[in-house]
Amino acid sequence: MSPANVLITGANRGIGLEFVKQYAQLQPNCPQHVFAGCRSPDSAKDLQDLQTKYKNIKIVKIDLNDEATYASAAKAVEEVVGDAGLNLLINNAGAANRASLDTVTSEDMVSLFQINAVGPLMLTKAFLPLLRKAAAKGGAMSSDRACVINISTGVASITENDTGGAYSYRTSKAALNMITKNLSLDLKKDGILVSAIHPGWIKTGMGGPKATTEASDCIEALLKVIDSLNSEESSGKLYHYSGRVMPW
Ligand SMILES: NC(=O)c1ccc[n+]([C@@H]2O[C@H](COP(=O)([O-])OP(=O)(O)OC[C@H]3O[C@@H](n4cnc5c(N)ncnc54)[C@H](OP(=O)(O)O)[C@@H]3O)[C@@H](O)[C@H]2O)c1
Protein backbone atom coordinates (compact mmCIF):
# COMPACT_ATOMS: atom_id res chain seq x y z
CA MET A 1 0.00 0.00 0.00
CA SER A 2 1.30 3.47 -0.74
CA PRO A 3 -0.28 6.86 -1.41
CA ALA A 4 0.00 8.05 -5.01
CA ASN A 5 0.56 11.72 -4.26
CA VAL A 6 2.20 13.00 -1.08
CA LEU A 7 3.14 16.48 0.18
CA ILE A 8 5.50 17.10 3.10
CA THR A 9 6.17 20.55 4.59
CA GLY A 10 9.51 21.56 6.12
CA ALA A 11 11.14 19.15 3.69
CA ASN A 12 14.55 20.79 3.23
CA ARG A 13 16.11 19.31 6.38
CA GLY A 14 15.55 17.14 9.45
CA ILE A 15 12.52 14.88 9.69
CA GLY A 16 10.89 16.38 6.59
CA LEU A 17 13.89 15.69 4.35
CA GLU A 18 13.97 12.07 5.57
CA PHE A 19 10.22 11.71 4.86
CA VAL A 20 10.87 12.81 1.27
CA LYS A 21 13.86 10.45 0.92
CA GLN A 22 11.97 7.39 2.17
CA TYR A 23 8.66 8.09 0.36
CA ALA A 24 10.47 8.77 -2.92
CA GLN A 25 11.92 5.22 -2.92
CA LEU A 26 9.13 3.36 -1.08
CA GLN A 27 8.84 -0.33 -2.00
CA PRO A 28 7.06 -2.11 -3.64
CA ASN A 29 5.17 0.95 -4.95
CA CYS A 30 6.63 4.41 -4.57
CA PRO A 31 4.33 7.42 -4.84
CA GLN A 32 3.89 8.92 -8.28
CA HIS A 33 4.67 12.37 -6.90
CA VAL A 34 6.39 13.45 -3.68
CA PHE A 35 5.94 17.20 -3.23
CA ALA A 36 8.61 18.66 -0.95
CA GLY A 37 7.50 21.95 0.60
CA CYS A 38 10.16 24.37 1.81
CA ARG A 39 10.64 28.08 2.36
CA SER A 40 13.54 28.59 -0.05
CA PRO A 41 13.54 26.10 -2.95
CA ASP A 42 16.54 27.81 -4.57
CA SER A 43 18.80 27.11 -1.60
CA ALA A 44 17.40 23.69 -0.65
CA LYS A 45 20.59 21.91 -1.70
CA ASP A 46 19.88 18.50 -0.08
CA LEU A 47 16.43 18.40 -1.67
CA GLN A 48 17.84 19.38 -5.05
CA ASP A 49 20.39 16.55 -4.77
CA LEU A 50 17.61 14.07 -3.92
CA GLN A 51 15.58 15.32 -6.86
CA THR A 52 18.35 14.43 -9.30
CA LYS A 53 18.21 10.85 -7.95
CA TYR A 54 14.43 10.40 -7.61
CA LYS A 55 12.41 11.81 -10.46
CA ASN A 56 9.12 11.69 -8.52
CA ILE A 57 10.23 14.56 -6.24
CA LYS A 58 8.91 18.06 -6.94
CA ILE A 59 9.94 21.03 -4.82
CA VAL A 60 7.26 23.62 -3.95
CA LYS A 61 7.59 26.84 -2.00
CA ILE A 62 5.66 26.84 1.29
CA ASP A 63 6.40 29.43 3.97
CA LEU A 64 4.08 29.12 6.94
CA ASN A 65 4.60 32.83 7.63
CA ASP A 66 3.35 33.74 4.16
CA GLU A 67 -0.22 32.64 3.41
CA ALA A 68 0.11 33.59 -0.26
CA THR A 69 2.41 30.57 -0.67
CA TYR A 70 -0.38 28.19 0.48
CA ALA A 71 -2.56 28.97 -2.54
CA SER A 72 0.37 29.04 -4.96
CA ALA A 73 1.57 25.65 -3.66
CA ALA A 74 -1.94 24.15 -4.01
CA LYS A 75 -2.10 25.46 -7.58
CA ALA A 76 1.34 24.05 -8.42
CA VAL A 77 0.36 20.63 -7.02
CA GLU A 78 -3.00 20.66 -8.83
CA GLU A 79 -1.28 21.31 -12.14
CA VAL A 80 0.65 18.05 -11.67
CA VAL A 81 -1.93 15.73 -10.06
CA GLY A 82 -5.14 17.01 -11.71
CA ASP A 83 -8.26 15.04 -10.77
CA ALA A 84 -6.26 12.38 -8.92
CA GLY A 85 -5.90 14.90 -6.08
CA LEU A 86 -3.58 14.71 -3.09
CA ASN A 87 -3.65 11.54 -0.96
CA LEU A 88 -1.39 12.47 1.91
CA LEU A 89 -0.51 15.87 3.42
CA ILE A 90 2.13 15.76 6.15
CA ASN A 91 2.23 18.98 8.16
CA ASN A 92 5.78 18.50 9.41
CA ALA A 93 7.30 22.01 9.37
CA GLY A 94 7.58 23.37 12.87
CA ALA A 95 9.60 25.50 15.24
CA ALA A 96 10.49 25.23 18.92
CA ASN A 97 12.03 27.18 21.74
CA ARG A 98 12.45 26.55 25.45
CA ALA A 99 10.75 29.74 26.70
CA SER A 100 10.20 29.36 30.45
CA LEU A 101 7.75 31.29 32.60
CA ASP A 102 10.54 33.84 33.19
CA THR A 103 11.56 34.24 29.56
CA VAL A 104 8.40 33.69 27.49
CA THR A 105 7.19 36.73 25.54
CA SER A 106 4.05 37.57 23.55
CA GLU A 107 6.18 37.52 20.41
CA ASP A 108 7.35 33.92 21.14
CA MET A 109 3.78 32.80 21.70
CA VAL A 110 2.37 34.40 18.56
CA SER A 111 5.31 33.34 16.40
CA LEU A 112 5.11 29.66 17.38
CA PHE A 113 1.30 29.60 17.18
CA GLN A 114 1.58 30.85 13.58
CA ILE A 115 4.10 28.17 12.55
CA ASN A 116 2.87 25.20 14.62
CA ALA A 117 -0.91 25.68 14.62
CA VAL A 118 -2.35 28.46 12.41
CA GLY A 119 -0.12 27.60 9.43
CA PRO A 120 -0.92 23.86 9.36
CA LEU A 121 -4.67 24.59 9.66
CA MET A 122 -4.75 27.19 6.90
CA LEU A 123 -2.46 25.12 4.66
CA THR A 124 -4.76 22.12 5.12
CA LYS A 125 -7.70 24.32 4.12
CA ALA A 126 -5.85 25.38 0.96
CA PHE A 127 -5.33 21.69 0.05
CA LEU A 128 -8.86 20.52 0.93
CA PRO A 129 -10.13 20.58 -2.67
CA LEU A 130 -7.25 18.27 -3.68
CA LEU A 131 -7.71 16.01 -0.64
CA ARG A 132 -11.45 15.78 -1.45
CA LYS A 133 -10.66 14.83 -5.05
CA ALA A 134 -8.44 12.00 -3.79
CA ALA A 135 -11.06 10.90 -1.24
CA ALA A 136 -13.72 10.76 -3.95
CA LYS A 137 -12.24 7.51 -5.30
CA GLY A 138 -13.85 5.83 -2.26
CA GLY A 139 -12.78 2.89 -0.11
CA ALA A 140 -11.80 2.72 3.54
CA MET A 141 -10.29 5.78 5.20
CA SER A 142 -6.50 5.52 4.90
CA SER A 143 -3.31 7.31 3.89
CA ASP A 144 -3.69 5.73 0.45
CA ARG A 145 -7.07 7.40 0.00
CA ALA A 146 -6.94 10.86 1.65
CA CYS A 147 -5.16 11.72 4.87
CA VAL A 148 -3.65 14.60 6.86
CA ILE A 149 -0.85 13.81 9.33
CA ASN A 150 0.21 16.52 11.75
CA ILE A 151 3.64 16.07 13.28
CA SER A 152 3.08 16.89 16.93
CA THR A 153 5.10 16.03 20.02
CA GLY A 154 4.74 14.22 23.32
CA VAL A 155 5.70 17.53 24.94
CA ALA A 156 2.25 18.86 23.93
CA SER A 157 0.36 16.17 25.84
CA ILE A 158 -1.49 17.87 28.73
CA THR A 159 -1.82 14.50 30.50
CA GLU A 160 1.91 13.76 30.30
CA ASN A 161 3.17 17.25 31.24
CA ASP A 162 4.87 16.85 34.60
CA THR A 163 7.71 19.39 34.32
CA GLY A 164 6.22 22.70 33.11
CA GLY A 165 8.16 25.22 30.98
CA ALA A 166 8.45 25.45 27.17
CA TYR A 167 5.31 27.60 27.06
CA SER A 168 5.18 28.56 23.41
CA TYR A 169 6.16 25.13 22.05
CA ARG A 170 3.87 23.09 24.32
CA THR A 171 0.84 25.33 23.82
CA SER A 172 1.20 25.80 20.06
CA LYS A 173 1.49 22.02 19.55
CA ALA A 174 -1.41 21.42 21.96
CA ALA A 175 -3.40 23.75 19.69
CA LEU A 176 -2.26 21.62 16.73
CA ASN A 177 -3.58 18.56 18.58
CA MET A 178 -7.02 20.19 18.96
CA ILE A 179 -6.96 21.20 15.29
CA THR A 180 -6.19 17.54 14.48
CA LYS A 181 -9.17 16.26 16.46
CA ASN A 182 -11.46 18.97 15.08
CA LEU A 183 -10.44 18.33 11.47
CA SER A 184 -10.95 14.59 11.97
CA LEU A 185 -14.56 15.26 12.96
CA ASP A 186 -15.27 17.85 10.27
CA LEU A 187 -13.69 15.80 7.47
CA LYS A 188 -15.12 12.38 8.39
CA LYS A 189 -18.02 12.91 5.97
CA ASP A 190 -15.49 13.50 3.18
CA GLY A 191 -13.61 10.29 3.95
CA ILE A 192 -10.44 12.18 4.93
CA LEU A 193 -8.45 10.69 7.82
CA VAL A 194 -6.70 13.17 10.16
CA SER A 195 -4.33 12.18 12.96
CA ALA A 196 -1.19 13.42 14.72
CA ILE A 197 2.08 11.63 15.46
CA HIS A 198 4.77 12.14 18.10
CA PRO A 199 8.01 11.22 16.29
CA GLY A 200 10.25 10.67 19.35
CA TRP A 201 13.45 12.58 20.13
CA ILE A 202 15.28 12.86 16.85
CA LYS A 203 18.80 13.99 15.89
CA THR A 204 17.91 17.07 13.82
CA GLY A 205 18.48 20.79 14.11
CA MET A 206 15.57 20.87 16.57
CA GLY A 207 16.29 17.66 18.48
CA GLY A 208 20.05 18.33 18.74
CA PRO A 209 22.98 15.88 18.80
CA LYS A 210 22.04 14.32 22.16
CA ALA A 211 18.70 13.03 20.82
CA THR A 212 18.10 9.29 21.02
CA THR A 213 17.09 8.47 17.45
CA GLU A 214 18.42 8.97 13.92
CA ALA A 215 16.00 10.61 11.48
CA SER A 216 16.21 7.56 9.19
CA ASP A 217 15.04 5.18 11.99
CA CYS A 218 12.33 7.64 13.02
CA ILE A 219 10.86 7.83 9.52
CA GLU A 220 11.03 4.05 9.04
CA ALA A 221 8.79 3.81 12.13
CA LEU A 222 6.49 6.69 11.11
CA LEU A 223 5.91 5.23 7.64
CA LYS A 224 4.74 2.01 9.32
CA VAL A 225 2.39 3.95 11.62
CA ILE A 226 0.94 5.95 8.72
CA ASP A 227 0.52 2.78 6.65
CA SER A 228 -1.36 1.12 9.52
CA LEU A 229 -4.06 3.84 9.61
CA ASN A 230 -6.80 2.17 7.62
CA SER A 231 -10.22 2.84 9.17
CA GLU A 232 -12.47 5.55 10.60
CA GLU A 233 -11.25 4.51 14.08
CA SER A 234 -7.67 5.45 13.09
CA SER A 235 -8.72 9.09 12.66
CA GLY A 236 -8.66 11.78 15.36
CA LYS A 237 -5.84 10.25 17.43
CA LEU A 238 -2.36 11.19 18.65
CA TYR A 239 0.03 8.31 17.88
CA HIS A 240 3.37 7.52 19.47
CA TYR A 241 6.01 6.53 16.87
CA SER A 242 5.62 2.94 18.08
CA GLY A 243 2.02 2.99 16.89
CA ARG A 244 0.32 3.15 20.29
CA VAL A 245 -2.30 5.83 20.90
CA MET A 246 -1.12 8.56 23.32
CA PRO A 247 -3.26 10.64 25.68
CA TRP A 248 -3.90 14.20 24.43
N1 LIG B 1 13.45 16.59 16.48
C1 LIG B 1 12.70 16.18 17.48
O1 LIG B 1 13.20 15.61 18.45
C2 LIG B 1 11.21 16.40 17.45
C3 LIG B 1 10.45 15.90 18.53
C4 LIG B 1 9.08 16.05 18.52
C5 LIG B 1 8.47 16.69 17.46
N2 LIG B 1 9.22 17.19 16.44
C6 LIG B 1 8.50 17.87 15.35
O2 LIG B 1 8.92 17.36 14.09
C7 LIG B 1 8.80 18.36 13.09
C8 LIG B 1 10.11 18.45 12.31
O3 LIG B 1 11.13 18.77 13.24
P1 LIG B 1 12.68 18.61 12.93
O4 LIG B 1 13.28 17.95 14.10
O5 LIG B 1 12.91 18.09 11.57
O6 LIG B 1 13.09 20.17 13.01
P2 LIG B 1 14.19 21.01 12.22
O7 LIG B 1 15.35 20.17 11.89
O8 LIG B 1 14.38 22.24 13.04
O9 LIG B 1 13.43 21.37 10.86
C9 LIG B 1 12.29 22.20 10.90
C10 LIG B 1 11.72 22.33 9.52
O10 LIG B 1 10.57 23.19 9.59
C11 LIG B 1 10.78 24.26 8.66
N3 LIG B 1 10.16 25.51 9.09
C12 LIG B 1 10.38 26.21 10.22
N4 LIG B 1 9.67 27.35 10.19
C13 LIG B 1 8.98 27.36 9.01
C14 LIG B 1 8.09 28.27 8.38
N5 LIG B 1 7.75 29.43 8.94
N6 LIG B 1 7.56 27.93 7.19
C15 LIG B 1 7.89 26.76 6.59
N7 LIG B 1 8.76 25.90 7.11
C16 LIG B 1 9.29 26.19 8.32
C17 LIG B 1 12.28 24.44 8.57
O11 LIG B 1 12.60 25.16 7.41
P3 LIG B 1 13.90 26.18 7.36
O12 LIG B 1 15.10 25.31 7.09
O13 LIG B 1 13.57 27.10 6.26
O14 LIG B 1 13.99 26.84 8.70
C18 LIG B 1 12.71 22.97 8.52
O15 LIG B 1 12.50 22.44 7.24
C19 LIG B 1 8.44 19.66 13.83
O16 LIG B 1 7.06 19.91 13.68
C20 LIG B 1 8.79 19.36 15.27
O17 LIG B 1 8.02 20.11 16.19
C21 LIG B 1 10.57 17.06 16.40
Side-chain angles (χ1 to χ4, degrees), residues 21-33:
K21 198 183 286 177
Q22 294 198 23
Y23 267 121
Q25 55 186 309
L26 194 69
Q27 293 298 327
N29 304 307
C30 65
Q32 211 176 343
H33 303 289

Side-chain angles (χ1 to χ4, degrees), residues 135-151:
K137 74 177 181 185
M141 282 169 82
S142 72
S143 59
D144 282 11
R145 185 181 172 193
C147 174
V148 178
I149 294 294
N150 293 325
I151 302 301

Side-chain angles (χ1 to χ4, degrees), residues 10-16 39 62-65 92-95 115 151-153 169 173 198-202 204-207:
N12 56 305
R13 60 189 171 100
I15 291 175
R39 288 200 268 198
I62 297 176
D63 183 342
L64 294 177
N65 290 320
N92 163 75
I115 298 168
I151 302 301
S152 185
T153 169
Y169 188 53
K173 288 285 190 176
H198 161 53
W201 187 19
I202 316 306
T204 62
M206 186 184 294

Side-chain angles (χ1 to χ4, degrees), residues 36-57:
C38 63
R39 288 200 268 198
S40 309
D42 292 344
S43 53
K45 175 85 176 59
D46 292 339
L47 264 184
Q48 291 167 6
D49 289 349
L50 266 188
Q51 200 182 25
T52 59
K53 207 162 161 200
Y54 303 107
K55 301 297 174 202
N56 52 355
I57 297 175

Side-chain angles (χ1 to χ4, degrees), residues 11 32-33 42 54 59 70-71 78-79 81 100 104 111 133 146 149 153 163 170 173 181 197 212 218 225 237 246:
Q32 211 176 343
H33 303 289
D42 292 344
Y54 303 107
I59 303 175
Y70 306 1
E78 185 176 18
E79 279 166 9
V81 301
S100 68
V104 67
S111 163
K133 275 185 181 170
I149 294 294
T153 169
T163 58
R170 282 190 198 279
K173 288 285 190 176
K181 177 74 187 190
I197 304 185
T212 52
C218 162
V225 176
K237 305 262 180 357
M246 292 180 70

Side-chain angles (χ1 to χ4, degrees), residues 179-190:
I179 288 165
T180 303
K181 177 74 187 190
N182 245 16
L183 284 173
S184 77
L185 297 170
D186 285 332
L187 298 178
K188 192 189 283 188
K189 64 180 182 323
D190 295 295

Side-chain angles (χ1 to χ4, degrees), residues 37-238:
C38 63
R39 288 200 268 198
S40 309
D42 292 344
S43 53
K45 175 85 176 59
D46 292 339
L47 264 184
Q48 291 167 6
D49 289 349
L50 266 188
Q51 200 182 25
T52 59
K53 207 162 161 200
Y54 303 107
K55 301 297 174 202
N56 52 355
I57 297 175
K58 297 199 166 42
I59 303 175
V60 290
K61 181 177 171 72
I62 297 176
D63 183 342
L64 294 177
N65 290 320
D66 178 3
E67 272 204 53
T69 64
Y70 306 1
S72 58
K75 190 161 177 282
V77 170
E78 185 176 18
E79 279 166 9
V80 176
V81 301
D83 285 341
L86 181 70
N87 305 95
L88 176 58
L89 167 62
I90 302 182
N91 283 309
N92 163 75
N97 68 40
R98 294 185 181 280
S100 68
L101 183 56
D102 286 337
T103 61
V104 67
T105 62
S106 315
E107 289 75 18
D108 280 336
M109 292 293 288
V110 171
S111 163
L112 260 59
F113 262 76
Q114 173 60 36
I115 298 168
N116 291 339
V118 180
L121 172 61
M122 302 316 284
L123 186 76
T124 302
K125 280 184 66 165
F127 277 92
L128 268 185
L130 287 175
L131 287 160
R132 287 191 172 118
K133 275 185 181 170
K137 74 177 181 185
M141 282 169 82
S142 72
S143 59
D144 282 11
R145 185 181 172 193
C147 174
V148 178
I149 294 294
N150 293 325
I151 302 301
S152 185
T153 169
V155 168
S157 167
I158 291 174
T159 310
E160 295 193 353
N161 181 4
D162 51 14
T163 58
Y167 276 79
S168 34
Y169 188 53
R170 282 190 198 279
T171 56
S172 58
K173 288 285 190 176
L176 179 66
N177 286 350
M178 180 57 90
I179 288 165
T180 303
K181 177 74 187 190
N182 245 16
L183 284 173
S184 77
L185 297 170
D186 285 332
L187 298 178
K188 192 189 283 188
K189 64 180 182 323
D190 295 295
I192 301 171
L193 191 155
V194 187
S195 276
I197 304 185
H198 161 53
W201 187 19
I202 316 306
K203 286 180 189 160
T204 62
M206 186 184 294
K210 290 188 182 153
T212 52
T213 309
E214 298 293 340
S216 53
D217 295 332
C218 162
I219 298 306
E220 247 177 62
L222 298 201
L223 259 54
K224 282 188 193 137
V225 176
I226 294 170
D227 192 48
S228 73
L229 309 180
N230 56 15
S231 68
E232 209 175 293
E233 291 68 47
S234 318
S235 195
K237 305 262 180 357
L238 169 63

